[in-house]
């Protein structure tokens, strides 16, 4: 029988706000900063601006903490990952989501800044972002889990590193995100530190995007991958993705152990790089969120 995930790591993640589905698994829920900010009457995240998602009604979760890459810019802890866990069933995870979200947000009910109506909406989530930590396509029942969420009326966003195209092919989320964090194989291997060379697999995943609502996300790390806009443009063009997000690396979490603050580009630098990319492809800037240092691009019709 598999042993429970490392208790030391679990304690550390609980302190960060992780709510686990089961003691012997790492499927977890953790409300993001924007969820809590919106709950208190503040602004919603750029996903509301770009895609209409209500931040306070969004569940941020992962079906597993396992990952097959060690990206330098990732804010999660590599030390707290486990390679020995029980995978929860889709039903276990889906059934647990409302209760875990309620538990995570329970302290906000008494806040003077949170209205009863807004709190009730937060406890009735309608969006699941499969994007918390780990690589979700390593969860063997991901297609079935997404189907179950869809059946239950949730909007689903799947954020993946694209290394498992056979799984991506079988998933039917509302929107599929594939990360492209390098313009070439050499940069990818140096920045993302994959267990294997998945560069060709990522391109196979990108080839699936024209048939679905999709986004390619690039995290720009200053001095590491902020070059060759023509290379990115060629990848974006070939992908046929509905949207492109060019987003600046944020100096947060455990990434601070691997990178310096100087690796975080200003929004103006992100926009200039997106403009340079636009000069080599049919995608054009259609929106931006300076506070999140992200630029949205869509194909020019």
């Amino acid at each position: 029988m598999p042993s429970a995930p490392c208790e030391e790591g679990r304690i550390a993640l609980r302190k960060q706000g992780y709510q686990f589905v089961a003691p012997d698994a790492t499927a977890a829920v953790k409300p993001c900063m924007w969820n809590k900010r919106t709950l208190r009457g503040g602004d919603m995240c750029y996903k509301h601006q770009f895609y209409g998602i209500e931040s306070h009604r969004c569940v941020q979760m992962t079906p597993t903490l396992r990952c097959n890459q060690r990206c330098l810019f990732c804010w999660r802890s590599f030390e707290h990952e486990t390679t020995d866990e029980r995978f929860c069933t889709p039903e276990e995870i889906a059934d647990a989501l409302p209760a875990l979200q309620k538990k995570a947000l329970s302290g906000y009910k008494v806040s003077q800044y949170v209205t009863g109506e807004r709190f009730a909406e937060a406890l009735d989530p309608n969006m699941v972002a499969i994007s918390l930590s780990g690589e979700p396509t390593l969860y063997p029942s991901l297609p079935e889990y997404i189907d179950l969420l869809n059946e239950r009326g949730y909007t689903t966003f799947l954020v993946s590193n694209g290394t498992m195209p056979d799984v991506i092919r079988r998933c039917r989320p509302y929107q599929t995100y594939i990360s492209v964090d390098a313009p070439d194989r050499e940069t990818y291997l140096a920045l993302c530190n994959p267990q294997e060379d998945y560069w060709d697999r990522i391109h196979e995943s990108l080839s699936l995007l024209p048939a679905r609502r999709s986004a390619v996300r690039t995290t720009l790390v200053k001095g590491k991958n902020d070059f060759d806009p023509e290379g990115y443009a060629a990848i974006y063009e070939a992908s046929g993705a509905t949207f492109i997000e060019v987003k600046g690396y944020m100096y947060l979490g455990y990434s601070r152990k691997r990178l310096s603050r100087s690796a975080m580009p200003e929004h103006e630098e992100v926009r200039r790089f997106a403009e340079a990319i636009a000069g080599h492809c049919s995608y054009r800037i259609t929106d931006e969120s300076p506070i999140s240092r992200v630029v949205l691009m869509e194909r020019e019709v």
Side-chain angles (χ1 to χ4, degrees):
M1 177 179 294
S3 61
C6 171
E7 187 59 26
E8 180 183 353
R10 183 178 290 276
I11 291 172
L13 292 172
R14 281 203 194 101
K15 289 180 179 178
Q16 296 172 32
Y18 282 67
Q19 305 288 335
F20 292 97
V21 173
D24 56 348
T26 61
V29 167
K30 180 182 183 293
C32 73
M33 172 192 73
W34 291 104
N35 177 285
K36 297 175 181 179
R37 181 176 293 182
T38 304
L39 188 56
R40 295 193 299 266
D43 293 336
M44 297 192 187
C45 84
Y46 72 89
K47 292 186 183 67
H48 173 73
Q49 180 178 327
F50 293 175
Y51 311 120
I53 300 302
E54 295 179 292
S55 301
H56 66 299
R57 301 192 68 188
C58 177
V59 176
Q60 179 183 234
M61 63 79 57
T62 182
T64 179
L65 292 180
R66 296 185 188 184
C67 193
N68 52 6
Q69 296 188 161
R70 298 288 185 273
C71 301
L72 295 181
F73 55 84
C74 183
W75 53 266
R76 70 184 182 89
S77 167
F78 302 155
E79 296 83 358
H80 295 153
E81 185 182 2
T82 179
T83 57
D84 193 14
E85 66 171 312
R86 175 181 70 84
F87 287 117
C88 295
T89 66
E91 290 76 15
E92 279 183 278
I93 301 175
D95 289 347
L97 293 183
L100 292 179
Q101 187 81 337
K102 180 178 181 179
K103 182 178 180 181
L105 298 176
S106 59
Y108 289 84
K109 184 176 182 180
V110 297
S111 170
Q112 61 178 318
Y113 303 106
V114 179
T115 66
E117 179 182 4
R118 183 60 63 90
F119 189 72
E121 290 176 344
L123 298 189
D124 183 28
N126 58 8
M127 162 71 184
V128 177
I130 308 172
S131 64
L132 174 57
S133 292
E135 171 48 41
T137 57
L138 298 181
Y139 171 56
S141 300
L142 183 64
E144 294 79 10
Y145 173 58
I146 292 175
D147 287 345
L148 181 59
L149 292 176
N150 293 339
E151 290 171 8
R152 295 189 180 186
Y154 292 104
T155 298
T156 49
F157 273 26
L158 171 61
V159 181
S160 171
N161 61 22
T163 59
M164 303 289 285
D166 289 343
V167 178
I168 296 290
R169 186 175 286 106
R170 294 186 294 117
C171 291
R172 293 291 176 266
Y174 174 72
Q175 183 160 309
T176 303
Y177 273 88
I178 300 294
S179 296
V180 174
D181 299 307
D184 57 69
R185 188 189 304 269
E186 182 180 4
T187 304
Y188 163 68
L189 294 174
L191 183 65
C192 297
N193 295 302
Q195 291 177 353
E196 302 174 31
D197 182 350
Y198 299 116
W199 185 245
D200 293 332
R201 287 201 203 176
I202 293 171
H203 283 269
E204 184 178 346
S205 293
L206 292 173
S207 73
L208 304 173
L209 299 187
R212 58 179 74 193
R213 181 185 169 97
S214 56
V216 171
R217 174 186 289 171
T218 295
T219 299
L220 283 185
V221 185
K222 198 170 181 178
K224 298 291 185 180
N225 66 348
D226 57 340
F227 57 86
D228 192 10
E230 189 170 358
Y232 283 107
I235 294 173
Y236 297 163
E237 195 72 29
S239 76
T242 315
F243 306 103
I244 305 295
E245 289 183 12
V246 183
K247 192 176 189 308
Y249 157 68
M250 305 298 276
Y251 185 66
L252 297 170
Y254 288 87
S255 73
R256 293 174 295 179
K257 294 185 176 183
R258 311 175 205 116
L259 296 169
S260 66
R261 183 178 294 275
S262 62
M264 185 170 63
E266 297 294 333
H267 179 71
E268 292 76 13
E269 294 173 297
V270 175
R271 183 182 173 87
R272 282 198 300 270
F273 195 76
E275 289 172 344
I277 292 172
H280 298 285
C281 65
S282 62
Y283 286 91
R284 298 290 177 265
I285 295 174
T286 56
D287 209 342
E288 60 187 308
S289 174
I291 192 171
S292 294
R293 307 188 189 199
V294 59
V295 171
L296 181 70
M297 304 176 72
E298 297 180 61
R299 192 186 291 274
E300 192 172 51
V301 180

